[in-house]
Amino acid sequence: MKVNRRNFLSLSGYTVLFSQFPSYSWSQINNNKILILIELQGANDGLNTVIPYNQDFYYNLRPTIGIQKGKILTIDNENGLHYSLKNLANLFEKGELKIVQNLGYPHPVLSHFRSIDIWETGGDGKSQNRNGWLVKSLEKYAKKIRLDAKAIFLDNSNSIFRGGHDGYLGPNALGLEPEEIEVRDTVVPVDDRKNFGLLNDLIKKRQSSNQSLNKFVHKLKKNKKVFEFSGLRNKGGQLAVQLSNVCNMISAGINIPVFKTALGSFDTHNNQEITHRRLLQNLDVSISLTVNALKKLGVWDDTIIMTYSEFGRRARENGSRGTDHGMAAPHFLIGGSINGGITGEYDDLSKLWNNNINFKIDYRSLYEFILRQHFNIKSNPFSKFQNKLLI
């Protein structure tokens, strides 16, 4: 999707309508928090993202796609990051990046659609919940904090907000086309509603007031905090476009606690090296631009960026210079108030089960951490998964 200044001003004109004239800034809202979710669609290869370079068996498992030691961005005596993740390595050095190793769940499922459904509803492999993992808690949060919406997705999938009604919206509700990422599973129907939620109704009701709309657009034209991350030079790609819209909504004073974005296609069964390098570079640049923007807006300490994916990939490369569906994988928590470092360790790569890295940390502990520590929801659906290693 191409977003020019005219399109952005149209987007911002609509979003300011949500805020009830006059608009307010994030700094005027007490206890306000932001969560930015980045789905790595297709299943990111964690072993070439966070690399246990001191395990010789890593190179035995990956004779052609293993990252050369001289290229790895070492972050401690055992682990390093892919050489495309230079900005993330800097965030790690600053203590603003926590790497959570070996995330997974019992009874792993290696179907893209079924596994992402488990991740997005908080299931365990045998069953998944009916609603998105955030929905119940956001309903509770909305009773405490004045919100313009509870959540918005900017890619092509709203399933993480399944069961949410009022206050959940998609990109078309803001005058944007959704980013076309990756079809998760063509044999399973995906809810393709984009114009849904209370805020879309508000837009229709208020469009009759052209005078008010013109005032908002005029105000946004004078706004100097217009972030545009797209363009060939920064190599942020589709994710950068989504995240620039996130930052622009925040800059305009739109009070939405959860933003969902996505980057694809990580399903690297063939010739993984070039594709994975490009995707990780997109991820790295997009996150760096977002962090810089959020710092300028003064909301970095109140923000967490979290990556997630349906599963990991096999430790041993396949015969096509790629990797097949696997189990556990590392993911990132990034933020101004994050206690950075590495939580968890890789398995001994010489003692794998069916070439898989086994999970050691239940992914739902991330959800519990975010709900408890970030949104201050002590009683939440994942309380039993509280993990002190994440604090």
Side-chain angles (χ1 to χ4, degrees), residues 34-279:
I34 304 166
L35 172 64
I36 301 173
L37 299 169
I38 303 176
E39 179 192 355
L40 307 181
Q41 290 188 353
N44 179 43
D45 177 23
L47 199 54
N48 270 15
T49 302
V50 183
I51 306 160
Y53 64 89
N54 263 345
Q55 289 202 42
D56 292 336
F57 213 75
Y58 165 76
Y59 293 99
N60 294 337
L61 290 166
R62 299 186 165 204
T64 64
I65 68 168
I67 308 300
Q68 298 174 11
K69 282 189 178 182
K71 290 184 175 181
I72 295 171
L73 304 174
T74 58
I75 54 176
D76 65 17
N77 292 332
E78 300 293 331
N79 300 285
L81 295 177
H82 189 282
Y83 56 87
S84 294
L85 300 177
K86 294 179 182 178
N87 292 301
L88 287 181
N90 288 334
L91 287 171
F92 186 88
E93 289 248 336
K94 294 176 181 177
E96 296 177 325
L97 165 63
K98 180 182 286 292
I99 300 169
V100 187
Q101 297 273 46
N102 298 320
L103 277 169
Y105 56 88
H107 318 292
V109 176
L110 299 186
S111 158
H112 288 290
F113 181 85
R114 288 185 60 205
S115 190
I116 198 63
D117 201 44
I118 289 167
W119 270 80
E120 292 189 334
T121 62
D124 63 2
K126 286 187 174 180
S127 63
Q128 60 261 16
N129 297 317
R130 178 173 298 179
N131 297 334
W133 71 269
L134 281 156
V135 168
K136 183 176 180 180
S137 296
L138 284 175
E139 299 298 325
K140 183 183 296 187
Y141 188 70
K143 294 178 181 179
K144 300 178 181 179
I145 306 294
R146 183 164 57 120
L147 301 176
D148 295 312
K150 299 182 181 79
I152 179 171
F153 68 98
L154 293 165
D155 62 315
N156 61 352
S157 173
N158 62 22
S159 58
I160 193 170
F161 304 129
R162 181 187 307 154
H165 300 290
D166 293 348
Y168 297 85
L169 63 147
N172 283 1
L174 304 178
L176 293 174
E177 289 296 322
E179 285 293 325
E180 291 299 326
I181 313 296
E182 176 173 289
V183 177
R184 289 172 168 178
D185 193 326
T186 57
V187 301
V188 181
V190 177
D191 187 348
D192 62 356
R193 291 176 300 154
K194 312 297 191 311
N195 267 333
F196 73 107
L198 173 63
L199 295 191
N200 189 52
D201 295 335
L202 291 178
I203 291 174
K204 291 179 179 178
K205 291 177 182 177
R206 298 183 185 186
Q207 279 180 325
S208 60
S209 179
N210 290 328
Q211 184 177 2
S212 295
L213 178 60
N214 289 335
K215 286 181 180 179
F216 291 127
V217 172
H218 177 71
K219 179 179 178 181
L220 285 163
K221 285 182 179 179
K222 295 169 62 177
N223 184 6
K224 296 180 180 179
K225 294 179 180 177
V226 176
F227 302 99
E228 293 191 33
F229 299 165
S230 59
L232 295 176
R233 183 176 298 179
N234 64 49
K235 300 180 182 179
Q238 59 191 199
L239 179 60
V241 175
Q242 297 168 67
L243 290 174
S244 65
N245 284 320
V246 169
C247 292
N248 284 322
M249 281 186 273
I250 295 170
S251 175
I254 308 306
N255 188 2
I256 301 176
V258 179
F259 300 88
K260 191 262 178 172
T261 64
L263 176 64
S265 307
F266 284 90
D267 198 17
T268 50
H269 290 282
N270 304 300
N271 300 316
Q272 174 177 303
E273 182 180 3
I274 295 175
T275 300
H276 199 228
R277 179 183 65 202
R278 172 180 56 81
L279 291 172

Side-chain angles (χ1 to χ4, degrees), residues 100-104 343-344 359-363 365-366 387 389:
V100 187
Q101 297 273 46
N102 298 320
L103 277 169
T343 296
F359 95 96
K360 292 185 178 180
I361 298 178
D362 196 298
Y363 77 100
S365 63
L366 265 66
N387 190 328
L389 294 175

